[in-house]
Amino acid sequence: MVRVDGKGTESLVEIRSLDKKYRRGGEEIDVLRGLNLDVDQGEFIAFMGPSGSGKTTLLNLIGGLDVPTAGTIRVAGDEIGALSGRKLAAWRARHIGFIFQMYNLIPVLTAFQNVQLPLLLTGLSKSDRREHVEAALELVGLTDRMHHYPRQLSGGQEQRVAIARAIVADPTILLCDEPTGDLDRASGDEILAIISRLSREFRKTIFLVTHDPVAAERAGTLLHLDKGTLLECAADGRVACKPEDRKR
Amino acid sequence: MKFLHLVLVNLRRKKTRTALTIGSFTVALFLFGILATIKSALGSGVDVAGADRLVVRNRVSLIQPLPIAYRDQILRLPHVEEATFATWFGGYYQDMKNFFPNFAIDVPNWRRVYPEYKFSDEEWRAFAEDREGCVISPPLAKRFGWKIGDRIPLEATIWAGTWELNVRAIYETDRRELTSPELWFHYEYLDERRSFWKGFVGWYTVKIDDPGNAVEAAEAIDDRFANSPFETKTETEKAFAAGFANQIGNIRLLILSIGSVVFFTLLLVTGNAMASAVRERTGELAVLKTIGMNDLTVLSLVMAEAIAVAAVGGGAGLVLAKLFTLRGDPTGGMLANFYLSPRNLALGFALALAAGAAAGILPALGAMRLRIVDALRRV
């Protein structure tokens, strides 16, 4: 279940009265304002909205990459704001998988080595790590390219490696920031198919930021962000209602 | 160790930059190795000086002599157990470029003051009984191919003429610092033939009962000869050797100055290279943090790169320096113990690692403090 009225209980992700302000050139900009969100395990949510509406900021806050100006974010029982430094890094390694628009692979590492990176932070043995990496690469259909470097892969293949890297440590949540934004339609569809499968078959909780209505259609819930406020929408992208009177 | 591969591939990304940075370390540590070798060669006398020995010389200068009669008077002073003397001869073999240290020594008392030089009794007796006999060190024997029984002509520089000597003994020692190319012969032979300063010696070496009495014994000696035409200056053998080494300038300061400039330049070069490397990888570092790498690990990765460069470059420089010193004294006798010791090798390597760490710390701290969202925004 997904709620935006702040009345959910025992959700995987609980966001309450979230504010985020940036200071730019002496001016304070409200990016997120009093945002509430409850998301249960296994939900696939797409965020849409105009540029600067706070989509990526919200994703960063959920992933513990940024800190809110006010409000709380609780993920799997942990309040992220209470974590810092080493604990926050360990929490991120355990719970969060990121997929970026520009893939962000390490160019001097092969696909296998890129995917293995999150596992180097765990206590897994070399053979266990190998097993996990091969499973992740198989899931994204790239076992035959595991020893290729990013420069030897197409954009779609690079993004599939990035997905394998995001899921290899079996995180609770996948955060996808415009994962198809730099791809052609065919490659983008492949990526979306993999992400949908992760939601459907592996019950991953997925947050997808996109400008693409086709991509957003894959999500079970579409939320529209505008001027720092969340609006729940129908699956076709239309704003269904205002947050204050919407119940689901 | 799990991240070793990442460190190595990062170093291989910009091969030219890495090679040049490693090369800077190689040159710097080669220079360090050579300077350290020169310093220890010049100061080797200081290292071998006995704690229970004092050197008595003319108060005016080392080149001014002292009367031979002083020996008996010194022996009567408190804490003095034995005394011997020597005089600098300054001869050379065939050509000035074949110069090596040579002294006229007090043969009857010499071994009691310098027990560290070993001889067979037979050889020493042969030397003692031959007024034209001489003792040579193993490096000198090796340098000119001399052996016992050879007759050697030495050209005098202070006193005139050619002085012929018979090689009667080659001393042995298990201390490397004592094996400089040198020659000793009889003081009686010198005093008999020379035209001036007859009855005078260059300096005395005095063995005392306890190193703890060195100050008292030195004061007693200098007081004894105060206000005489040949006043003395007595100091420990270590201080004397250090003073001797410093005659050609403050080597320590010189080496320290050169070393400091080289290492400071090295810090700037390496620091700049590491800063560039971190700047180019801002986005990647952010990704590593995103996947859960903590700040300390990120700092360690950057530091490891800087230290690896230092270790490889520094190690290569020290190996080259060691190979260079293995060829022996390049000055033909001025730097007898031209030897890069394990201690100096270890010190050099530690300095290289420290320079690597110092050069890497600022870029590493920058990487550690990198805010993920800011860095990702730059990608």
Side-chain angles (χ1 to χ4, degrees):
Chain A
M1 182 186 288
V2 178
R3 296 180 71 112
V4 295
D5 57 2
K7 292 178 180 169
T9 53
E10 297 181 2
S11 303
L12 177 72
V13 179
E14 288 179 12
I15 298 175
R16 294 288 178 270
S17 309
L18 187 69
D19 283 354
K20 180 65 186 176
K21 297 181 201 299
Y22 283 123
R23 188 166 283 281
R24 193 174 297 158
E27 189 187 352
E28 203 164 66
I29 300 163
D30 286 326
V31 182
L32 298 174
R33 286 183 294 188
L35 191 143
N36 294 306
L37 181 63
D38 289 84
V39 178
D40 285 344
Q41 168 117 31
E43 293 286 348
F44 183 178
I45 298 138
F47 293 114
M48 290 193 78
S51 294
S53 59
K55 305 183 296 296
T56 297
T57 299
L58 178 57
L59 220 57
N60 289 340
L61 289 167
I62 294 170
L65 303 185
D66 206 351
V67 287
T69 309
T72 59
I73 302 172
R74 192 176 283 274
V75 177
D78 296 316
E79 192 186 327
I80 306 172
L83 303 172
S84 61
R86 187 182 285 256
K87 280 184 181 169
L88 182 60
W91 174 86
R92 217 163 30 233
R94 169 70 193 88
H95 289 292
I96 305 293
F98 276 91
I99 301 166
F100 304 96
Q101 178 179 353
M102 299 305 295
Y103 335 127
N104 289 352
L105 300 178
I106 309 287
V108 289
L109 298 180
T110 63
F112 182 95
Q113 290 162 344
N114 265 290
V115 175
Q116 187 184 223
L117 275 174
L119 298 181
L120 295 178
L121 304 167
T122 68
L124 288 177
S125 68
K126 196 174 176 181
S127 59
D128 285 346
R129 290 203 302 267
R130 169 168 284 280
E131 205 174 292
H132 280 67
V133 172
E134 286 174 354
L137 283 168
E138 191 178 347
L139 200 146
V140 297
L142 273 182
T143 42
D144 58 332
R145 301 279 175 148
M146 67 168 74
H147 299 302
H148 286 59
Y149 288 91
R151 65 177 179 275
Q152 298 168 316
L153 301 172
S154 68
Q157 288 170 331
E158 280 195 74
Q159 191 61 296
R160 281 195 270 161
V161 174
I163 293 173
R165 180 180 64 188
I167 61 172
V168 73
D170 192 23
T172 315
I173 296 169
L174 275 180
L175 301 176
C176 314
D177 193 358
E178 305 235 31
T180 58
D182 199 48
L183 298 174
D184 57 43
R185 172 56 64 198
S187 301
D189 284 346
E190 284 175 15
I191 296 303
L192 290 170
I194 293 170
I195 293 172
S196 300
R197 190 178 161 210
L198 290 170
S199 167
R200 204 172 51 247
E201 292 181 27
F202 296 90
R203 298 270 302 148
K204 292 289 168 200
T205 306
I206 297 173
F207 292 86
L208 171 74
V209 164
T210 184
H211 280 108
D212 179 6
V214 177
E217 273 175 24
R218 301 266 186 171
T221 306
L222 176 58
L223 296 173
H224 193 86
L225 256 168
D226 192 17
K227 294 175 184 169
T229 309
L230 265 181
L231 308 168
E232 194 175 358
C233 305
D236 61 0
R238 288 180 292 105
V239 177
C241 60
K242 301 283 184 192
E244 55 270 23
D245 56 17
R246 173 69 180 167
K247 299 270 166 53
R248 180 174 170 177
Chain B
M1 285 304 285
K2 283 192 284 193
F3 294 105
L4 182 65
H5 178 71
L6 190 56
V7 171
L8 295 178
V9 292
N10 278 333
L11 286 173
R12 285 204 295 264
R13 293 172 184 237
K14 300 269 182 183
K15 291 188 179 72
T16 307
R17 181 171 63 199
T18 303
L20 289 174
T21 314
I22 286 175
S24 309
F25 270 94
T26 303
V27 171
L29 268 295
F30 175 77
L31 191 61
F32 169 86
I34 300 302
L35 290 176
T37 303
I38 293 171
K39 178 179 170 289
S40 55
L42 288 171
S44 60
V46 180
D47 298 332
V48 300
D52 61 348
R53 289 196 293 246
L54 303 178
V55 173
V56 185
R57 65 171 176 87
N58 192 300
R59 188 175 193 80
V60 177
S61 127
L62 183 58
I63 60 169
Q64 295 296 315
L66 292 171
I68 194 167
Y70 276 15
R71 180 172 179 272
D72 290 341
Q73 296 177 59
I74 290 169
L75 281 171
R76 286 197 290 272
L77 294 172
H79 307 300
V80 174
E81 289 193 335
E82 190 51 82
T84 190
F85 54 81
T87 298
W88 176 257
F89 181 65
Y92 61 87
Y93 174 62
Q94 292 180 338
D95 192 296
M96 274 296 279
K97 70 180 184 197
N98 291 333
F99 173 82
F100 54 85
N102 40 78
F103 311 91
I105 65 165
D106 166 28
V107 178
N109 305 305
W110 190 257
R111 290 178 79 186
R112 286 199 291 274
V113 178
Y114 290 104
E116 58 266 43
Y117 296 101
K118 312 289 183 197
F119 304 87
S120 73
D121 287 341
E122 189 186 339
E123 283 187 9
W124 181 260
R125 201 178 311 115
F127 166 58
E129 289 172 357
D130 180 0
R131 282 172 73 82
E132 295 183 6
C134 70
V135 171
I136 60 174
S137 65
L140 192 61
K142 188 179 170 191
R143 183 174 168 192
F144 295 116
W146 293 341
K147 55 190 183 301
I148 288 174
D150 284 355
R151 192 159 175 81
I152 303 164
L154 278 191
E155 300 300 326
T157 53
I158 301 171
W159 297 281
T162 301
W163 298 54
E164 296 204 343
L165 301 167
N166 305 312
V167 177
R168 294 299 179 202
I170 300 174
Y171 69 68
E172 290 175 8
T173 176
D174 49 7
R175 295 179 63 182
R176 186 187 166 84
E177 315 90 89
L178 293 172
T179 54
S180 58
E182 61 181 349
L183 178 149
W184 313 331
F185 66 99
H186 288 252
Y187 172 81
E188 284 79 4
Y189 183 43
L190 170 74
D191 210 40
E192 181 184 280
R193 276 195 58 182
R194 65 181 169 178
S195 54
F196 57 93
W197 283 353
K198 280 181 180 292
F200 284 86
V201 302
W203 63 89
Y204 288 93
T205 305
V206 175
K207 188 171 185 303
I208 55 174
D209 54 1
D210 188 319
N213 294 325
V215 174
E216 197 180 329
E219 283 177 357
I221 294 168
D222 291 343
D223 287 349
R224 174 67 189 78
F225 302 112
N227 300 316
S228 74
F230 299 95
E231 288 189 319
T232 59
K233 180 179 179 184
T234 306
E235 56 197 344
T236 61
E237 195 174 43
K238 211 175 189 70
F240 174 78
F244 197 83
N246 284 339
Q247 281 186 116
I248 57 169
N250 192 336
I251 297 299
R252 189 183 172 84
L253 180 67
L254 185 70
I255 288 174
L256 203 66
S257 305
I258 295 171
S260 302
V261 169
V262 168
F263 274 93
F264 184 68
T265 310
L266 191 64
L267 282 184
L268 297 182
V269 169
T270 314
N272 185 47
M274 289 311 300
S276 300
V278 168
R279 209 164 35 243
E280 288 162 9
R281 300 210 302 271
T282 301
E284 291 174 28
L285 291 167
V287 171
L288 292 177
K289 287 186 166 193
T290 302
I291 63 170
M293 191 174 277
N294 64 48
D295 292 345
L296 199 62
T297 310
V298 170
L299 176 126
S300 306
L301 277 180
V302 178
M303 289 296 285
E305 281 180 42
I307 290 171
V309 165
V312 173
L318 290 169
V319 167
L320 289 176
K322 182 67 186 175
L323 292 174
F324 185 82
T325 58
L326 286 177
R327 295 167 59 207
D329 176 10
T331 63
M334 288 288 290
L335 301 168
N337 288 303
F338 197 70
Y339 169 70
L340 181 53
S341 66
R343 183 175 169 275
N344 278 332
L345 280 171
L347 177 66
F349 197 64
L351 273 175
L353 296 185
I361 190 69
L362 284 180
L365 284 172
M368 186 183 91
R369 291 172 184 152
L370 198 68
R371 288 189 70 234
I372 301 173
V373 282
D374 295 338
L376 287 176
R377 213 172 284 144
R378 281 183 247 162
V379 176

